[in-house]
Amino acid sequence: MSLPPTLYIQADNSAKDNKNFILMGFLASLVQQNIFKKIKLSFLMVGHTHEDVDQMFSRVSVHIARKSVPTLPILQDLAREAYHPMPNVQHLENIWDYRQMGISSKVQIVGHSSPHQFKFVKEGDKVLMHFKEWPLKSTTYQGVDVTSLAAAYGNEPQPIQQITEKGRKVFEAMEGDLKKWQDGGKMTEEQIKWWKDHLQRERELPFPSVKRASQFQPFRCPEEAPEVAVPAMQALHDHIRNLKKKSTVKVVHRRA
């Protein structure tokens, strides 16, 4: 499977979740492996209340208000109904541990907390990360070589194999609440069984259902549109010429 040459990412300006050397290195590795020709990573400014992703989740929130959402499949169905075009809603039961690969790297980047736009490209054998404070045409990019950071992701990742202590406590709390939800009439026996089965699957950490980065083919540029056949092209030119004709409107004497 090949992907388009350019990947655009919008992310919250949070160092804990997005704006860190682990994500930067992973994106650099995708360019290094030719999975993408270019990646543009933009961080949202404070007060982005009209940003398109926020609008989408606002529609989902309105749609599910005052509805019973006892299980994850019901939530997924409601999310699909809430927005057009229909979003692709999936639950990932496990993922590849690229984070651990980044943590194991002997290099990292610093000084990247202020810029709001980053661009990853490959020049020869090097992967460069260009950055600037704001996504304005009047400002120019600066650049830094991040090839050594991308190299940390050269091996195949392993699935996440251990639940964190925080995750374990969440599972225990949810299992303790199941009886209360059932006794309170908030869930049926069938829904309670779904949650028990779901929590058990989560504890077992199934094999990831998503591909590893190395399983993608190199990016492919869109194919050029084939030339239009001559008769069709001539008809198109004739139509355009007719559209350019000017109408003449005037007042004339009526015949007696």
Side-chain angles (χ1 to χ4, degrees):
M1 176 181 180
S2 296
L3 297 172
T6 304
L7 171 65
Y8 295 92
I9 301 176
Q10 295 180 154
D12 282 329
N13 196 22
S14 165
K16 177 178 178 293
D17 299 317
N18 305 307
K19 205 173 193 179
N20 52 62
F21 78 95
I22 294 175
L23 177 63
M24 304 288 187
F26 177 66
L27 297 182
S29 76
L30 296 180
V31 172
Q32 187 179 54
Q33 298 175 66
N34 293 317
I35 296 172
F36 293 102
K37 182 178 181 180
K38 176 173 65 176
I39 297 177
K40 295 192 75 172
L41 172 64
S42 300
F43 289 98
L44 302 171
M45 296 180 243
V46 176
H48 51 86
T49 54
H50 297 291
E51 201 265 334
D52 51 357
V53 176
D54 291 340
Q55 183 209 26
M56 175 181 173
F57 281 101
S58 172
R59 293 296 89 207
V60 174
S61 177
V62 170
H63 185 68
I64 67 175
R66 300 180 182 179
K67 288 185 174 68
S68 176
V69 191
T71 64
L72 187 58
I74 293 175
L75 175 62
Q76 292 172 327
D77 288 340
L78 290 172
R80 294 185 187 100
E81 296 171 0
Y83 198 80
H84 182 80
M86 182 187 297
N88 182 2
V89 182
Q90 298 183 49
H91 173 65
L92 302 180
E93 294 185 323
N94 200 359
I95 56 176
W96 300 104
D97 198 356
Y98 285 101
R99 180 177 182 274
Q100 186 58 45
M101 298 175 72
I103 291 175
S104 302
S105 172
K106 295 181 180 180
V107 298
Q108 62 176 336
I109 56 174
V110 295
H112 58 283
S113 60
S114 180
H116 282 68
Q117 189 166 69
F118 298 82
K119 179 174 64 174
F120 299 84
V121 294
K122 191 175 181 180
E123 295 186 7
D125 294 332
K126 295 182 178 180
V127 180
L128 302 182
M129 182 181 76
H130 300 281
F131 60 92
K132 57 183 179 179
E133 299 299 315
W134 302 105
L136 302 174
K137 291 183 178 180
S138 58
T139 60
T140 58
Y141 280 104
Q142 302 179 65
V144 61
D145 185 346
V146 292
T147 308
S148 58
L149 186 62
Y153 300 84
N155 297 323
E156 291 296 341
Q158 297 297 315
I160 292 179
Q161 298 174 344
Q162 186 175 0
I163 297 174
T164 63
E165 180 64 17
K166 180 179 179 181
R168 185 184 63 79
K169 290 181 178 179
V170 169
F171 286 159
E172 290 177 353
M174 294 179 71
E175 287 174 334
D177 286 336
L178 287 177
K179 189 175 186 305
K180 291 188 292 184
W181 294 337
Q182 187 174 21
D183 293 343
K186 295 182 179 180
M187 287 189 180
T188 64
E189 290 186 8
E190 181 180 358
Q191 292 163 351
I192 292 293
K193 182 179 183 305
W194 183 91
W195 274 107
K196 288 181 178 179
D197 293 343
H198 173 70
L199 293 175
Q200 182 59 35
R201 285 197 309 273
E202 293 293 300
R203 274 201 168 93
E204 294 171 356
L205 289 173
F207 195 78
S209 59
V210 292
K211 292 183 178 181
R212 293 185 295 268
S214 61
Q215 293 177 282
F216 286 92
Q217 298 296 320
F219 69 85
R220 185 177 63 184
C221 294
E223 297 180 1
E224 294 185 4
E227 293 187 8
V228 181
V230 174
M233 183 63 75
Q234 185 58 49
L236 180 62
H237 287 317
D238 292 342
H239 180 65
I240 293 175
R241 187 168 56 252
N242 289 333
L243 291 175
K244 290 181 178 179
K245 286 182 178 179
K246 294 183 178 180
S247 299
T248 301
V249 180
K250 57 185 178 179
V251 176
V252 297
H253 290 285
R254 297 176 63 186
R255 294 180 181 180

